[in-house]
Amino acid sequence: MTTLDQPTAIVPTPVTSGDRPVRRELGVANALSHGFLLFWGLLTVLPLLWMFVSSFKTNGEILADPWGLPGALHLDNWARAWTGAHIGRYFLNSLVVVTGSVSLTMLMGATAAYVFARYEFRGRQVVYYLFVGGLMFPVFLALVPLFFVVRNAGLFNTWLGLILVYAAYSLPFTVFFLTAFFRTLPTSVAEAALVDGCGHFRLFFRVMLPMARPGLISVALFNFLSHWNQFLLPQVLLQGDESKWMLAQGLFALSVSQGYAGDYARLFAGLSIAVLPVLAVYVAFQRQVQAGLTAGQLK
Amino acid sequence: MKHGKWPLIVTFLVPPVLLYVFFVVSPYLQAFQISTTDWLGYSADANPVGLANFKTLWHDDYVWNALKNNAILLGLVPVLTIVLGLFFATMLAMGGRKGSAGVTGVRGGALYRTVYFFPQVLSVVIIALLWKEVYHPNQGLLTSAVHAVGLPAPTWLGDPATAFWCVLAVMVWSNVGFYVVLFGAAMSAVPKEIYEAVLLDGASRFTTLRRVTLPLLWDTVQVAWVYLAIFALDGFILVQLMTNGGPNFSTDVIGVRMYDTAFGSETKFGYASAIGVVMFFLTLSVAVLSLRVGRRERIEYS
């Protein structure tokens, strides 16, 4: 603290009689702000930390002393969750579906956005607003008919159905964000490439896509998180076959069965398995995740 | 740019448009139509009944109860979240210790921001299930903390008197971090000289927040308001997983009503769609209203 304060002493600050109360106020504000900030930080971390710690305890330890540390690291909880409660399988299911849906979303979103941003044609505005209008509507309203649309297409209880639906519902934001992004790219590069005899398709894949990479990464992370965290759509569109379930459904089932079995440690281990990769992705790509998410909310 | 333009437009635009129209646009349009039928789902056929579903809805006490809860959420969740978000963002941006008129961020601000943002990247399912355990009446984190102080703990989610507030607290908890980051980004766009000038003039921190920061951040706050309002009107997953609307309908929200009506014991698809249509118009009016009421002159830094 003191070492950091020193440079300010060197800077000749206009010292007036009013300086003292201000300084005292700053000191109080500083202590207060650290207190409040620390408090909220603990409030945020504590439940998560508790979950991790509890996942290594025995059920007896969890019941006897919720705040205590585990006597030994009971890794068998994780094994029970991964194989016994099939969390491993649901995890891989989610991975397959999300990989498919994010790829499809990015491909379709980028191509559509590119056309909207770079080409003039009749009805462009209408189609664009048709897409972006989707940002406005709550998924709820579509839920009942969507169930039948998917069923009549023969896609009920299939991963392909989920992939297509995830992609379709992510298009509004993806198109909106990427259209704005493609507009910011310099036109001169595109024109030069066309003059050099580059075709329109090649121009897109070889020139425009690489240039748009920062935007694409932000949107892809945004879509990854929202698809990975999706609960409502699988719950409605993937009701039957348990072996096909998504992670969120599996965790919910685990939580319900835990109520009868009393195996708390297994539930905490299951939750931890679901949390860890997401936190890892977040910590690794913090800046992009925050940019994508804040842009996602701001539209 | 003319030559070869159309093949690209067609191949690039037709697949997304088809996908979007099939899975997004058509269900939305159908929802309005289904809401005017007495459709009971799987096999029975649908008869047009005009606005009968909406009439039933008007006299449905369960719907009104759920709407009342949504109204309370709408009144409290945005206010609490924005106030806390602004408070912490301000602390992070100007809570630092420095000379008389310096405006510095608190030490470790980046770490705070990272941690605060955690709930935002977690799935609502995980948040709901985790907090359900935190509130557990026997070995929950909260319960044992209250016991440790020597106080009797309520049964949290099991008691109609407290359940709703417990859910509300989780809603605020899971949102605050995001708005700290959002407001923080907006604050960093405000030139520092403005703050330094104001502080030099002897304004207190609170006055600065109220008279300087807030007006400058108004656009962002307004957007936050709209999104939190939409969030408060939904609240479905959190409620369904934590309490399923109980105990005794004390935490019921309109989303849970609709889901129950459509996919619960009876499959009243017509009636559920009518609830959906009402939700749609409520969401739309809340969004339009908060944008209208909040309209102020835009401030630009130059």
Side-chain angles (χ1 to χ4, degrees):
Chain A
M1 272 297 198
T2 39
T3 47
L4 259 187
D5 279 343
Q6 251 152 19
T8 51
I10 301 163
V11 179
T13 42
V15 180
T16 59
S17 54
D19 186 44
R20 202 154 284 183
V22 172
R23 194 175 277 276
R24 191 176 309 139
E25 192 198 334
L26 281 174
V28 173
N30 188 258
L32 265 182
S33 52
H34 266 298
F36 284 123
L37 289 169
L38 212 60
F39 172 71
W40 191 265
L42 282 178
L43 213 57
T44 310
V45 174
L46 219 55
L48 291 172
L49 209 61
W50 180 62
M51 173 186 81
F52 280 121
V53 172
S54 299
S55 77
F56 295 111
K57 290 159 86 166
T58 63
N59 283 308
E61 285 174 329
I62 292 175
L63 288 167
D65 184 10
W67 283 77
L69 288 172
L73 288 186
H74 292 277
L75 293 169
D76 56 299
N77 297 330
W78 287 60
R80 266 206 321 287
W82 183 262
T83 50
H86 311 300
I87 292 300
R89 184 198 290 161
Y90 301 139
F91 189 96
L92 296 177
N93 290 354
S94 279
L95 204 62
V96 171
V97 168
V98 170
T99 309
S101 62
V102 171
S103 316
L104 190 67
T105 307
M106 293 314 291
L107 181 69
M108 292 205 164
T111 52
Y114 178 66
V115 171
F116 288 131
R118 292 279 165 167
Y119 291 91
E120 283 289 343
F121 57 94
R122 275 175 73 103
R124 185 183 68 167
Q125 293 285 353
V126 178
V127 188
Y128 177 71
Y129 282 113
L130 181 74
F131 269 108
V132 177
L135 284 170
M136 298 272 295
F137 305 127
V139 183
F140 254 102
L141 181 57
L143 217 51
V144 171
L146 179 67
F147 173 77
F148 287 96
V149 165
V150 170
R151 209 179 62 152
N152 295 340
L155 294 168
F156 185 62
N157 278 338
T158 64
W159 288 347
L160 180 65
L162 269 193
I163 291 177
L164 292 174
V165 169
Y166 283 6
Y169 280 84
S170 311
L171 278 177
F173 168 70
T174 309
V175 166
F176 176 76
F177 186 100
L178 288 179
T179 302
F181 203 85
F182 276 121
R183 283 214 181 102
T184 63
L185 299 180
T187 331
S188 52
V189 180
E191 277 165 359
L194 281 177
V195 169
D196 285 349
C198 180
H200 285 271
F201 284 94
R202 254 185 62 155
L203 171 70
F204 175 72
F205 287 106
R206 304 296 287 275
V207 181
M208 301 309 277
L209 266 192
M211 281 207 296
R213 220 166 79 185
L216 293 173
I217 290 174
S218 277
V219 180
L221 283 167
F222 172 83
N223 283 323
F224 166 77
L225 285 172
S226 71
H227 293 182
W228 185 261
N229 291 338
Q230 187 54 250
F231 176 67
L232 196 53
L233 292 173
Q235 208 191 11
V236 172
L237 303 177
L238 207 64
Q239 291 178 0
D241 192 355
E242 276 185 31
S243 64
K244 286 187 186 167
W245 275 2
M246 296 293 102
L247 187 55
Q249 291 172 286
L251 286 172
F252 177 47
L254 182 59
S255 153
V256 171
S257 73
Q258 172 264 123
Y260 308 112
D263 194 346
Y264 294 97
R266 188 182 58 171
L267 174 66
F268 285 120
L271 289 173
S272 304
I273 292 172
V275 165
L276 276 179
V278 173
L279 279 193
V281 169
Y282 165 60
V283 171
F285 296 99
Q286 261 190 68
R287 197 176 290 254
Q288 288 94 331
V289 169
Q290 292 189 356
L293 281 180
T294 38
Q297 299 267 326
L298 286 174
K299 308 229 153 122
Chain B
M1 285 289 258
K2 275 267 147 69
H3 181 70
K5 166 178 134 178
W6 282 104
L8 179 123
I9 292 180
V10 171
T11 38
F12 274 20
L13 208 52
V14 169
V17 167
L18 284 181
L19 185 78
Y20 182 70
V21 167
F22 189 71
F23 285 113
V24 182
V25 178
S26 85
Y28 278 125
L29 294 179
Q30 286 177 47
F32 285 96
Q33 191 256 323
I34 294 173
S35 73
T36 63
T37 68
D38 61 357
W39 196 22
L40 285 176
Y42 305 95
S43 55
D45 41 11
N47 305 305
V49 292
L51 297 177
N53 282 329
F54 294 92
K55 214 175 271 172
T56 319
L57 224 154
W58 186 257
H59 299 289
D60 189 334
D61 286 342
Y62 292 108
V63 168
W64 280 108
N65 169 57
L67 273 178
K68 186 202 77 192
N69 285 337
N70 276 118
I72 301 175
L73 292 177
L74 188 64
L76 288 179
V77 172
V79 176
L80 289 173
T81 311
I82 290 176
V83 166
L84 284 171
L86 274 174
F87 178 73
F88 291 123
T90 313
M91 290 280 168
L92 284 172
M94 2 191 322
R97 176 196 287 268
K98 213 191 157 190
S100 60
V103 178
T104 41
V106 117
R107 288 218 293 168
L111 184 65
Y112 281 124
R113 257 177 225 118
T114 306
V115 168
Y116 286 7
F117 207 73
F118 277 171
Q120 194 63 37
V121 296
L122 298 183
S123 106
V124 191
V125 176
I126 290 173
I127 290 174
L129 297 181
L130 177 58
W131 274 89
K132 212 174 147 186
E133 296 305 318
V134 171
Y135 284 132
H136 197 287
N138 298 326
Q139 67 277 2
L141 189 67
L142 197 62
T143 314
S144 53
V146 174
H147 280 312
V149 194
L151 292 171
T155 47
W156 310 113
L157 296 173
D159 187 343
T162 49
F164 181 75
W165 305 105
C166 291
V167 174
L168 192 148
V170 177
M171 288 182 176
V172 174
W173 176 86
S174 62
N175 274 310
V176 165
F178 173 81
Y179 291 96
V180 170
V181 170
L182 189 69
F183 294 144
M187 278 179 191
S188 64
V190 177
K192 270 194 173 176
E193 297 80 44
I194 295 184
Y195 286 116
E196 304 198 333
V198 175
L199 285 174
L200 258 183
D201 286 347
S204 75
R205 298 261 153 176
F206 180 70
T207 316
T208 316
L209 180 65
R210 200 166 57 91
R211 307 300 276 286
V212 182
T213 313
L214 211 52
L216 289 177
L217 253 59
W218 195 251
D219 274 352
T220 317
V221 172
Q222 199 185 332
V223 171
W225 195 281
V226 174
Y227 280 95
L228 284 163
I230 291 174
F231 173 86
L233 279 179
D234 179 348
F236 163 73
I237 299 176
L238 214 53
V239 170
Q240 203 207 14
L241 296 189
M242 284 179 76
T243 63
N244 202 9
N248 198 17
F249 294 96
S250 59
T251 59
D252 208 12
V253 289
I254 195 79
V256 172
R257 262 318 74 235
M258 182 189 161
Y259 190 86
D260 255 24
T261 313
F263 302 103
S265 49
E266 298 169 89
T267 50
K268 292 195 214 159
F269 282 113
Y271 192 49
S273 294
I275 298 179
V277 168
V278 168
M279 268 183 85
F280 168 73
F281 283 112
L282 277 179
T283 312
L284 201 68
S285 15
V286 164
V288 170
L289 226 101
S290 34
L291 283 172
R292 275 280 151 117
V293 171
R295 184 173 292 166
R296 285 197 187 180
E297 217 156 297
R298 182 185 279 269
I299 298 158
E300 280 176 22
Y301 324 113
S302 51

